[in-house]
Amino acid sequence: MRTGYTNCCIKDQKNGAFLVEDGKILAIGCAQDQRMQEALANADEEVDLHGLHVLPGKADGHVHLLQMGRNALSVDCSAGAAERLANAPRSQAWLYGANWDGDAEKLNRTILDEAVNDRPAVVLSRDGQAMALNSAALQACAIDENTKVESGSIDVEKGVVRQTGVDLVRQAMPAPDAEEIKAWLLKGMELAAAQGITAVGSEDFLSTNETYQDVLTAYEQLSYQQKMKIRVSELVSFCQIEDFASFLDEGYSYDVGNDFFKIGALLLKLDDASDQELRYDDATVQLYVQMANRFNTPVWFDVASFGAVDQALDVLQDEMYPDNPLQDAILVHRVPSAAQLSKAQNAKIVLGTSGFLMESDSSLFYGSDQPFQPVLPYSSILSANIQNRLGFTGSLRESDPADFYVMDEDRVMMTVVNGEEVYRQ
């Protein structure tokens, strides 16, 4: 089927038009040009965009689609948490809430016990670094005054756990089934599409207490069932190097997949944003990189401290291939030093950011880290090469995939991926 889009603004072309067929842009230009008129004459359907702007689909290099979807389908605890939790449906064995600001005075064990006393209840903070639990949840997780965690904290009296304490709770919670995982992923894609995002690098393997195979299987099923709403490059993360080795042994490496779902880079978290202690010694990090190189898989380091930036730079410099084609990168959560920026530029190592380094002249790409960080809606437009870093290409050019979004002055009105409408305001 051929679809013609008319009466739109494309770059500086106010009377723009384009023709789409089989997920590709066949022709694009001024609607008054004879060539464009002839192309539109062959359209099976014409869509009048009423003068709105058409832009290439945005790409977000680092999101958590599964967590985005799960948060959206859970009890919203951004405000009025106690009342919302108390009135939540009683169909689930555990009650799950999200979007709490992390303030233990606003939400704690006492408040949760008053709202929910018939089952375990947990609420995840907006940044994903803390959870508030009621008494039933503390008991179900076997958390008491003697429970200790590394790189985190547990306040039993207030019912608040932080950092690795959150992982302890996740492990004790009931495992989601396959349909739940798929529902969360689809909702996350829906939310991304509503922002004009058509391609993402998504980190999902450690979002549940199940193994990475469960998330991987959910994606593969959605892909071959043709239910994917946007293009996903899965950033693979593992707690243990043995899990990464097993993953590679199963035949999964960079770019394995199809046009809608493929394996992306290895995402290696070198420290924690709160305590900034290094998680691995240099030898372990080096082994991760060597294994990834052997299977032609790029490595993206997730770092918060100066020490972690130095560790990543040192290992990459030692292990990078000449004229490295893998596009290894470092995702920074703070402004690197001038020396670190210079070192990255000289070694042609890409620095990724959540937005605050977009003014730098270093090589950068954008990743919002949503839902754990606020979204800067237009920052990704400034980084035109991010699609290539995700393994997907896209622009408003003939023969390119028909991935685009339509907006008025400040709202996304429509998002189209592979020629199919996936969102409409």
Side-chain angles (χ1 to χ4, degrees):
M1 179 173 178
R2 293 187 173 188
T3 303
Y5 294 87
T6 60
N7 190 18
C8 58
C9 295
I10 305 173
K11 297 182 180 179
D12 57 352
Q13 179 66 61
K14 291 186 177 180
N15 190 21
F18 56 103
L19 183 67
V20 171
E21 182 182 32
D22 295 332
K24 301 285 186 181
I25 297 176
L26 291 187
I28 187 167
C30 176
Q32 295 175 335
D33 291 345
Q34 181 177 351
R35 174 177 173 273
M36 199 65 231
Q37 289 180 352
E38 291 175 353
L40 291 171
N42 294 319
D44 300 303
E45 177 187 18
E46 186 172 310
V47 178
D48 185 342
L49 294 178
H50 303 287
L52 297 176
H53 298 271
V54 178
L55 296 95
K58 291 190 287 184
D60 193 330
H62 183 201
V63 305
H64 305 259
L65 284 180
L66 189 149
Q67 194 65 56
M68 287 169 61
R70 186 175 193 180
N71 286 3
L73 296 173
S74 302
V75 180
D76 182 3
C77 295
S78 56
E83 182 178 356
R84 291 180 179 180
L85 289 165
N87 294 326
R90 293 295 193 259
S91 58
Q92 296 179 323
W94 285 54
L95 183 57
Y96 186 89
N99 301 324
W100 165 49
D101 66 5
D103 186 345
E105 298 305 315
K106 296 179 181 178
L107 194 62
N108 51 48
R109 177 179 181 174
T110 301
I111 295 173
L112 283 173
D113 280 347
E114 292 178 356
V116 184
N117 56 23
D118 62 335
R119 56 184 166 153
V122 299
V123 179
L124 183 68
S125 64
R126 191 176 298 118
D127 63 4
Q129 297 297 308
M131 266 187 177
L133 294 77
N134 68 355
S135 296
L138 287 169
Q139 184 177 2
C141 296
I143 294 176
D144 58 26
E145 290 80 0
N146 299 316
T147 307
K148 305 295 182 185
V149 291
E150 295 181 5
S151 304
S153 64
I154 294 176
D155 187 333
V156 174
E157 182 179 353
K158 290 187 176 180
V160 174
V161 300
R162 301 186 186 275
Q163 285 83 54
T164 53
V166 174
D167 297 332
L168 191 66
V169 176
R170 287 189 193 275
Q171 293 165 12
M173 293 178 64
D177 61 32
E179 294 307 310
E180 283 181 302
I181 293 174
K182 286 191 281 189
W184 296 337
L185 292 174
L186 286 171
K187 185 63 177 180
M189 293 183 220
E190 177 186 315
L191 295 172
Q195 300 171 38
I197 293 171
T198 59
V200 298
S202 189
E203 181 191 356
D204 304 297
F205 279 5
L206 301 179
S207 295
T208 74
N209 55 354
E210 288 293 88
T211 63
Y212 71 83
Q213 287 96 337
D214 296 280
V215 176
L216 183 57
T217 298
Y219 266 125
E220 290 177 332
Q221 289 179 356
L222 291 173
S223 179
Y224 69 66
Q225 292 169 356
Q226 298 184 339
K227 293 182 178 179
M228 299 284 290
K229 296 179 181 296
I230 62 174
R231 304 182 194 273
V232 177
S233 175
E234 177 65 18
L235 304 176
V236 296
S237 297
F238 304 92
C239 292
Q240 304 294 330
I241 197 167
E242 293 81 7
D243 292 332
F244 183 42
S246 174
F247 178 77
L248 295 172
D249 287 341
E250 291 175 12
Y252 292 104
S253 60
Y254 184 65
D255 229 19
V256 169
N258 56 38
D259 287 344
F260 272 87
F261 175 73
K262 62 180 64 175
I263 301 301
L266 168 68
L267 186 62
L268 191 59
K269 296 180 183 293
L270 295 188
D271 61 356
D272 188 272
S274 56
D275 56 35
Q276 299 184 0
E277 292 183 5
L278 296 180
R279 294 184 175 185
Y280 308 104
D281 57 32
D282 290 350
T284 301
V285 177
Q286 188 176 40
L287 184 56
Y288 265 112
V289 175
Q290 289 173 347
M291 291 170 60
N293 283 346
R294 193 178 308 149
F295 286 83
N296 296 317
T297 296
V299 182
W300 291 6
F301 292 99
D302 190 323
V303 302
S305 65
F306 284 126
V309 175
D310 284 333
Q311 186 182 45
L313 286 170
D314 290 343
V315 172
L316 282 181
Q317 279 194 313
D318 290 341
E319 298 297 332
M320 274 178 60
Y321 295 141
D323 300 319
N324 177 32
L326 296 179
Q327 298 183 318
D328 295 325
I330 303 174
L331 313 181
V332 291
H333 294 270
R334 65 181 302 162
V335 179
S337 68
Q340 289 171 333
L341 282 171
S342 177
K343 193 172 184 179
Q345 284 181 305
N346 291 338
K348 298 181 180 179
I349 297 170
V350 177
L351 294 180
T353 174
S354 293
F356 54 81
L357 287 179
M358 298 303 293
E359 297 288 327
S360 169
D361 60 0
S362 182
S363 181
L364 297 169
F365 75 92
Y366 174 75
S368 69
D369 202 21
Q370 59 175 310
F372 301 123
Q373 297 294 335
V375 180
L376 305 178
Y378 305 110
S379 296
S380 57
I381 300 175
L382 303 177
S383 188
N385 67 348
I386 185 170
Q387 259 96 349
N388 291 328
R389 301 198 183 285
L390 294 177
F392 301 116
T393 58
S395 64
L396 293 176
R397 295 180 301 193
E398 291 178 6
S399 79
D400 274 356
D403 295 357
F404 60 89
Y405 67 104
V406 180
M407 66 181 304
D408 61 9
E409 293 301 322
D410 56 4
R411 292 179 302 168
V412 174
M413 305 300 292
M414 178 194 299
T415 302
V416 173
V417 179
N418 204 48
E420 298 292 331
E421 184 179 308
V422 295
Y423 171 77
R424 181 186 284 268
Q425 172 68 28

